[in-house]
């Protein structure tokens, strides 16, 4: 039997590396001043709109930019953020801290292959298969968490790469949300 797991997915607010226009991967920059304001504004909107009412939990990537976003949201929504390392962004190895132009100049073939969805380790980082396996483990953890809390929706603060892996056409900006209903097998 299948049932749906409902997730309120939240892309972390702007980090200092977002502001600098460089790839982050699993680098661990903090939120920028703008990002802290984005997170506060999102927390206010979610609380005032009632969109976050009934959430079972607030899970977050353990990377600082996501954690800081989740802490600001959790304070307003009265939820304690639960860090899950499996929700981290894809590791892009040596591409981290570099601009798109720098990556294109140094690794043009790899960047084309990456954009085409081919299997490779960008910058020596994590393969697509490894990334997807890690996300499947994260989704299993989230499904178990939701089940323990009556099947209610779970909020998840994570990264653009994770959101695109869950919904390929997704392109939320910093501190933007999208709802996902994911099928889960149940016994």
């Amino acid at each position: 039997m299948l049932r749906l797991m409902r997730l309120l997915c939240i892309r972390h607010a702007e980090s200092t590396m977002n502001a600098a226009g460089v790839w982050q991967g699993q680098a661990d920059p903090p939120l920028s001043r703008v990002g802290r304001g984005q997170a506060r504004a999102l927390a206010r909107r979610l609380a005032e709109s009632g969109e976050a009412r009934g959430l079972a939990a607030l899970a977050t990537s353990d990377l600082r930019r996501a954690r800081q976003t989740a802490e600001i949201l959790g304070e307003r929504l009265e939820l304690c953020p639960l860090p899950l390392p499996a929700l981290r962004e894809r590791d892009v190895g040596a591409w981290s801290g570099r601009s798109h132009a720098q990556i294109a100049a140094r690794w043009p073939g790899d960047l084309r292959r990456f954009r085409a969805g081919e299997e490779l380790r960008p910058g020596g980082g994590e393969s697509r298969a490894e990334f997807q396996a890690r996300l499947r483990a994260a989704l299993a953890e989230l499904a178990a968490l939701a089940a323990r809390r009556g099947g209610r929706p779970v909020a998840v603060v994570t990264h653009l790469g994770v959101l695109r892996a869950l919904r390929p056409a997704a392109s939320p900006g910093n501190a933007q949300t999208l709802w996902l209903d994911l099928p889960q097998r149940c016994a």
Side-chain angles (χ1 to χ4, degrees), residues 29-52:
L31 292 180
S32 67
R33 182 185 55 74
V34 168
R36 289 188 301 276
Q38 289 172 335
R40 285 191 296 271
L42 176 60
R44 188 172 39 257
R45 181 181 67 78
L46 290 174
E48 291 173 0
S49 72
E51 187 176 4

Side-chain angles (χ1 to χ4, degrees), residues 110-129:
D110 284 350
L111 183 58
R112 276 193 301 278
R113 289 177 53 218
F114 179 81
R115 293 283 188 214
E118 293 181 32
E119 187 62 37
L120 78 148
R121 293 177 180 279
E126 191 174 28
S127 74
R128 184 176 307 282

Side-chain angles (χ1 to χ4, degrees), residues 26 85-93 114 117-139 161-162 165-166:
Q26 291 189 4
L87 290 172
R88 284 183 174 191
E89 181 61 278
R90 183 175 178 180
D91 182 0
V92 294
F114 179 81
E118 293 181 32
E119 187 62 37
L120 78 148
R121 293 177 180 279
E126 191 174 28
S127 74
R128 184 176 307 282
E130 290 167 333
F131 180 51
Q132 290 173 340
R134 180 165 54 81
L135 293 183
R136 281 192 298 276
L139 291 175
V162 171
L166 297 174

Side-chain angles (χ1 to χ4, degrees), residues 2-184:
L2 285 179
R3 71 172 174 215
L4 293 179
M5 174 176 55
R6 192 133 214 256
L7 298 177
L8 173 58
C9 296
I10 302 162
R11 182 178 175 196
H12 64 78
E14 181 189 79
S15 73
T16 56
M17 288 178 82
N18 287 137
V22 297
W23 288 43
Q24 297 173 100
Q26 291 189 4
D28 204 17
L31 292 180
S32 67
R33 182 185 55 74
V34 168
R36 289 188 301 276
Q38 289 172 335
R40 285 191 296 271
L42 176 60
R44 188 172 39 257
R45 181 181 67 78
L46 290 174
E48 291 173 0
S49 72
E51 187 176 4
R53 192 178 359 255
L55 289 173
L58 173 61
T60 182
S61 158
D62 65 339
L63 294 175
R64 187 170 17 176
R65 58 196 183 267
R67 242 185 24 251
Q68 288 176 332
T69 301
E71 288 165 359
I72 292 167
L73 296 174
E75 192 173 303
R76 181 72 185 246
L77 301 175
E78 298 180 355
L79 291 168
C80 183
L82 171 66
L84 296 178
L87 290 172
R88 284 183 174 191
E89 181 61 278
R90 183 175 178 180
D91 182 0
V92 294
W95 292 9
S96 183
R98 299 179 192 268
S99 70
H100 184 82
Q102 290 169 325
I103 295 166
R106 186 159 178 193
W107 298 278
D110 284 350
L111 183 58
R112 276 193 301 278
R113 289 177 53 218
F114 179 81
R115 293 283 188 214
E118 293 181 32
E119 187 62 37
L120 78 148
R121 293 177 180 279
E126 191 174 28
S127 74
R128 184 176 307 282
E130 290 167 333
F131 180 51
Q132 290 173 340
R134 180 165 54 81
L135 293 183
R136 281 192 298 276
L139 291 175
E141 269 190 85
L142 293 171
L145 175 62
R148 286 192 307 271
R149 306 224 174 138
R152 296 190 334 259
V154 174
V156 177
V157 180
T158 191
H159 310 273
L160 182 59
V162 171
L163 297 175
R164 285 184 174 158
L166 297 174
R167 180 181 284 164
S171 198
N174 291 113
Q176 290 188 341
T177 64
L178 65 113
W179 282 96
L180 290 179
D181 292 312
L182 300 174
Q184 298 295 306

